[in-house]
C-alpha cells in the first residue's frame, strides 16, 4: 500500500446530496480527502485540477450515465480506480461496470463501514498495481517479481556478477525461481546474444549424461548410429545452465571439471579435443557442502562452480511479495486461459500471505491456476483449498493432536467445535484459536457441519 502519511484523494460523483454527504463523512473519518461532485462537469474539473486516487461513481446520473463517463475517461487516458454504486441499476449494468474495469459494485443503501472497507481495499489494490508496474518497468529484471529487501538484494547481486565470466552457483528451495535468476544473469551479460542452454541433471539417465553434455561420435557405443553435438558445444560462446547439479554422477563431474579448467571437451569415441567457450551457471536445492562431505560431489568441482554463490529466498522469507506475485500470476494465467481479468478478495489474499508455501512460487502458481479455472468472477475464501486455510502458522504452539480439526471426522468434529464454542460463549475468534485453525476455516466447517447459533446458545 502507499505511504500511510500521504492522504488519498477520493472523488465522489453522485446526484443525490445525502448519499454524497454520507460517503464523505465515512471516508473522511478514515483519513481520506473527499471531493464531492453532483454532476459530470464538476467531476471532470476536479480530475483536471488534481490527482485523484479513487473515484466512487453512481451508474445512474442525470445527463450521462456513470458507465459512459467512465469509458470517456478511459479513452482520454485519465481513468482512476473506480467503485460503482447504484440503487436502481440492473444486473446487466452492474456486470458491465465490472467488465469495463470497475474495482467493485455496491448497491444502495450501504453502510458507512462497507463503503470505507471497500474504498480502503480499492486503494490497496491500486497501490499494489503501481508496485507491480514499477517492477515491470525496471530494465533487466526479467520475470523476477518482488520488491522485498531479500529479493532486491538478490537482483542487485545477480546484476553485479552478470557481465563477468565468473561461474555462479544458485541455491534455494525447490520452486523458488532459480532458473529465473540464471535468465537474469544471462540477459544482462555480454553473452546475451548467444544461447543459454539448460539441462536438468536429475532428469537424464546416468548412462546418457556424458553423451548429452559432451556429444559422441558415430559408433561410440551401442545405438550411436550418428555423431551428435553435446550441450557444451551447443552453448559455445553462451551459457550452460546446470540445474540440479548435485545429481550429476561422479564420472560426469570429473569431465565437467576438466572442461572448466582447460576450456575443452572430448566427445565420446573421439580422439581429439574441441575448444569451447562456455560460462557455467549451476543451481541446486541441495546442500552441496554436505554432498561434498558424504562423497557424492567432488570438492574441486564445488569450488569451481561456487565462485559467486547466490541464494534465492523462500516465499516464507518474502511474504511482502506475495500480493505482487499473486497479481502478476493471475494476470498472466487469465491471458493464458482466455479468462476475464479476476481480482483476489482481501480476505483471500490475507490467507495466501499467511500460508507457509513449502513448494514456494511454483506451488503458488499451480494453486492459482486451479483456483482461477474453477472460481467465479472473483477469487474468494471459498475458492481456496482447505490446506491453505486450515492450520495456523505458529511453531511455538503447544496444541495437541486431540484438539486438531484435521484429525476429527464428522460427528466427532462437530461435537468438538460445539463444545469449544460453548466454552467460549460463542466467541468465534477464541474458539478458532483454541482449536488451532483460522477463523475462515472454522466458519466453513461450521457451515458444512450445519452448526448454527442456536446449537451453542440454546443451552
Amino acid at each position: 500500500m502507499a505511504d500511510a502519511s500521504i492522504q488519498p484523494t477520493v472523488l465522489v460523483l453522485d446526484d443525490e446530496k445525502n448519499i454524497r454527504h454520507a460517503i464523505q463523512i465515512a471516508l473522511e473519518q478514515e483519513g481520506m480527502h473527499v471531493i464531492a461532485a453532483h454532476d459530470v462537469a464538476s467531476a471532470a474539473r476536479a480530475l483536471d485540477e488534481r490527482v485523484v486516487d479513487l473515484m466512487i461513481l453512481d451508474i445512474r446520473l442525470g445527463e450521462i450515465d456513470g458507465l459512459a463517463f467512465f469509458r470517456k475517461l478511459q479513452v482520454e487516458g485519465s481513468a482512476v480506480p473506480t467503485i460503482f454504486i447504484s440503487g436502481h441499476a440492473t444486473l446487466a449494468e452492474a456486470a458491465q461496470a465490472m467488465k469495463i474495469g470497475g474495482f467493485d459494485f455496491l448497491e444502495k443503501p450501504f453502510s458507512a463501514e462497507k463503503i470505507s472497507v471497500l474504498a480502503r481495499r480499492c486503494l490497496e489494490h491500486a497501490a499494489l498495481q503501481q508496485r507491480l508496474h514499477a517492477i515491470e518497468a525496471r530494465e533487466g529484471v526479467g520475470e523476477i517479481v518482488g520488491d522485498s529487501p531479500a529479493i532486491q538484494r538478490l537482483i542487485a547481486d545477480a546484476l553485479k556478477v552478470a557481465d563477468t565470466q565468473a561461474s555462479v552457483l544458485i541455491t534455494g528451495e525447490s520452486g523458488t525461481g532459480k532458473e529465473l535468476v540464471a535468465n537474469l544473469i544471462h540477459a544482462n551479460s555480454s553473452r546475451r546474444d548467444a544461447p543459454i542452454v539448460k539441462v536438468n541433471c536429475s532428469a537424464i539417465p546416468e548412462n546418457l549424461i556424458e553423451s548429452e553434455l559432451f556429444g559422441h561420435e558415430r559408433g561410440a557405443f551401442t545405438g550411436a548410429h550418428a555423431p551428435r553435438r553435446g550441450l557444451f558445444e551447443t552453448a559455445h560462446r553462451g551459457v550452460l545452465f546446470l540445474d540440479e547439479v548435485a545429481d550429476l554422477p561422479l564420472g560426469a563431474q570429473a569431465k565437467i571439471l576438466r572442461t572448466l579448467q582447460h576450456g575443452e571437451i572430448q566427445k565420446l569415441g573421439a580422439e581429439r579435443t574441441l575448444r569451447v567457450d562456455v560460462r557455467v551457471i549451476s543451481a541446486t536445492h541441495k546442500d552441496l557442502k554436505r554432498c561434498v562431505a558424504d562423497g557424492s560431489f567432488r570438492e574441486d568441482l564445488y569450488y569451481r562452480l561456487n565462485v559467486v554463490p547466490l541464494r534465492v529466498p523462500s516465499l516464507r522469507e518474502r511474504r511482502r511479495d506475495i500480493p505482487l506475485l499473486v497479481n502478476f500470476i493471475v494476470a498472466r494465467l487469465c491471458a493464458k486461459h482466455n479468462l476475464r481479468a479476476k481480482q483476489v478478495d482481501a480476505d483471500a489474499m490475507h490467507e495466501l500471505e499467511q500460508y507457509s508455501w513449502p513448494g514456494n512460487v511454483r506451488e503458488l502458481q499451480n494453486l492459482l491456476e486451479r483456483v482461477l479455472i474453477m472460481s467465479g468472477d472473483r477469487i474468494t475464501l471459498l475458492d481456496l483449498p482447505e490446506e491453505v486455510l486450515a492450520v495456523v502458522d505458529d511453531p511455538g504452539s503447544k496444541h495437541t493432536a486431540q484438539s486438531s480439526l484435521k484429525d476429527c471426522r464428522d460427528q466427532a468434529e462437530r461435537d468438538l467445535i460445539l463444545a469449544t464454542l460453548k466454552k467460549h460463549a460463542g466467541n468465534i475468534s477464541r474458539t478458532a484459536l483454541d482449536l488451532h485453525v483460522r477463523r475462515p476455516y472454522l466458519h466453513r466447517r461450521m457451515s458444512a457441519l450445519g452448526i448454527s447459533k442456536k446449537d451453542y446458545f440454546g443451552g
Side-chain angles (χ1 to χ4, degrees), residues 69 76 102 106 110 180 227 229 299 361 381 393 406 413:
F69 179 57
E76 295 171 352
L106 204 54
F110 44 78
L180 296 181
R229 297 179 75 192
E299 184 176 23
V361 180
L381 280 174
D393 241 356
K406 294 175 69 178
E413 182 180 350

Side-chain angles (χ1 to χ4, degrees), residues 63-79:
E63 71 280 20
I64 182 174
D65 70 88
L67 297 178
F69 179 57
F70 184 76
R71 288 195 195 95
K72 180 176 181 291
L73 294 177
Q74 286 180 316
V75 171
E76 295 171 352
S78 55

Side-chain angles (χ1 to χ4, degrees), residues 430-447:
R430 291 181 181 177
T431 300
L433 184 63
D434 199 3
L435 291 172
H436 201 233
V437 297
R438 297 192 186 282
R439 283 186 58 182
Y441 179 76
L442 179 57
H443 279 297
R444 286 176 63 175
R445 296 307 299 151
M446 288 171 63
S447 176

